[in-house]
Amino acid sequence: MISFDTHIHTYPFSQDAHQSLRDVVGKNAASRYGFVITEHMDYNYVGKMNFEFQPEEYFKQYSPYRNDHFLLGVEMGLQPDNFAKIAKALAAYPFDMVIGSVHTVGGDIAHKEYYDKLTKTEAYTNYLVRILECLEGFHDFDTLGHIDYICRYSPFDDPELHVSEHKAALVAIFNFLIDHNMCLEINTRRLDTQVGFDTLNEIMRLYAFLGGRLVTVGSDAHKVENLSKNFDKAEKIIAEHGFTPVYFKERKRIEL
Ligand SMILES: [Zn+2]
Ligand SMILES: [Zn+2]
């Protein structure tokens, strides 16, 4: 059974979020799920938005609300040129949990310019190869975020990430996670459509086949109505493949 929503953004620490600490604390009090706040920290990100925050300020403002049901983490945006900055921040601040996510491959893959001049195969292969490069360069984090992220923004007629077309890259990524005792996130954002569910379920099937057992479950909510959304669908994926949902407190894995 899922006990925590482990991927949540709040404003102003995540500039693209539309929910405040007060909103989320209120929802947490009434929720059956514990929450881990995971603000964006994309060092060296180039673009209009600034996805960096000041950890001192974050801990100063949010620590009074921290308890066993409400934890303080971070979503680190992985780029080959920012691993030293991430390592320094993780050594300096007491995050409970760290998601590692790839949001950029050169450009931001949420922007359509990324896909200019690329075929779908190239765009998706580059994305998966970048994930693997990042893992090999830096892996002091707890769970790999939203592997189906590219499907959210892809401009192609069929935006889905098909295991059959990218099996070798996915196998390499999952073997790395399994060998290093890391987790794979079930990001529930796309699970409300059948096609989104089928895509992630196929990906998770491969992870399970390779021996993957540990998962974290996160809504990636930027607004209150999305907190812990589609967790019933995530429970189906967990039950089908026999995964163990976990969360992290003080960087220690908790299984229940
Ligand atoms: Zn993300
Ligand atoms: Zn996120």
Side-chain angles (χ1 to χ4, degrees):
M1 290 280 285
I2 303 165
S3 58
F4 262 73
D5 184 341
T6 62
H7 192 155
I8 295 169
H9 297 277
T10 67
Y11 188 83
F13 293 104
S14 291
Q15 289 205 347
D16 58 347
H18 302 275
Q19 56 188 354
S20 66
L21 170 68
R22 182 186 293 255
D23 296 331
V24 175
V25 165
K27 285 283 180 185
N28 181 238
S31 177
R32 57 176 283 203
Y33 301 111
F35 289 175
V36 187
I37 305 300
T38 52
E39 309 296 8
H40 289 295
M41 187 71 101
D42 288 66
Y43 290 119
N44 300 358
Y45 176 86
V46 179
K48 280 189 212 130
M49 301 281 278
N50 177 8
F51 291 114
E52 286 185 34
F53 64 92
Q54 297 303 322
E56 295 89 351
E57 218 23 62
Y58 173 62
F59 282 104
K60 192 169 137 201
Q61 291 188 29
Y62 285 22
S63 289
Y65 299 91
R66 184 179 176 279
N67 60 51
D68 285 349
H69 204 58
F70 190 85
L71 302 174
L72 301 179
V74 62
E75 179 181 16
M76 289 292 184
L78 307 172
Q79 299 185 185
D81 62 357
N82 71 8
F83 301 149
K85 283 187 187 173
I86 294 174
K88 198 170 162 199
L90 295 184
Y93 300 102
F95 293 108
D96 282 302
M97 173 166 168
V98 183
I99 301 172
S101 294
V102 168
H103 297 123
T104 60
V105 186
D108 188 331
I109 63 176
H111 298 166
K112 64 176 177 11
E113 293 77 29
Y114 167 66
Y115 304 90
D116 286 350
K117 301 184 192 136
L118 295 179
T119 64
K120 182 184 172 190
T121 302
E122 288 166 341
Y124 284 49
T125 301
N126 293 354
Y127 167 65
L128 294 171
V129 167
R130 173 55 55 88
I131 292 176
L132 191 59
E133 278 170 10
C134 286
L135 280 170
E136 284 167 351
F138 180 82
H139 52 271
D140 178 24
F141 57 89
D142 303 315
T143 190
L144 179 66
H146 52 49
I147 194 153
D148 57 346
Y149 182 74
I150 195 166
C151 309
R152 292 186 197 171
Y153 305 105
S154 164
F156 300 103
D157 289 342
D158 169 18
E160 301 308 314
L161 170 55
H162 298 290
V163 169
S164 58
E165 292 168 7
H166 296 281
K167 197 162 182 180
L170 289 166
V171 166
I173 291 166
F174 295 159
N175 279 336
F176 190 100
L177 294 176
I178 294 162
D179 288 348
H180 291 79
N181 213 18
M182 298 166 77
C183 305
L184 181 62
E185 178 183 78
I186 297 177
N187 189 290
T188 61
R189 184 134 147 189
R190 299 186 77 246
L191 298 183
D192 46 2
T193 65
Q194 188 64 44
V195 71
F197 178 90
D198 290 344
T199 292
L200 192 57
N201 197 30
E202 279 308 298
I203 292 170
M204 300 309 293
R205 186 187 312 284
L206 177 65
Y207 178 60
F209 173 78
L210 295 168
R213 179 178 70 85
L214 301 172
V215 296
T216 58
V217 182
S219 63
D220 211 350
H222 288 63
K223 322 177 196 180
V224 283
E225 59 265 39
N226 292 335
L227 285 163
S228 314
K229 196 178 169 190
N230 303 324
F231 272 34
D232 53 332
K233 307 277 173 40
E235 290 284 13
K236 281 190 190 171
I237 294 175
I238 287 165
E240 180 173 343
H241 307 294
F243 293 129
T244 302
V246 303
Y247 66 98
F248 289 78
K249 183 183 172 192
E250 296 171 343
R251 300 295 312 273
K252 288 186 190 70
R253 193 173 73 224
I254 300 179
E255 300 185 18
L256 44 86

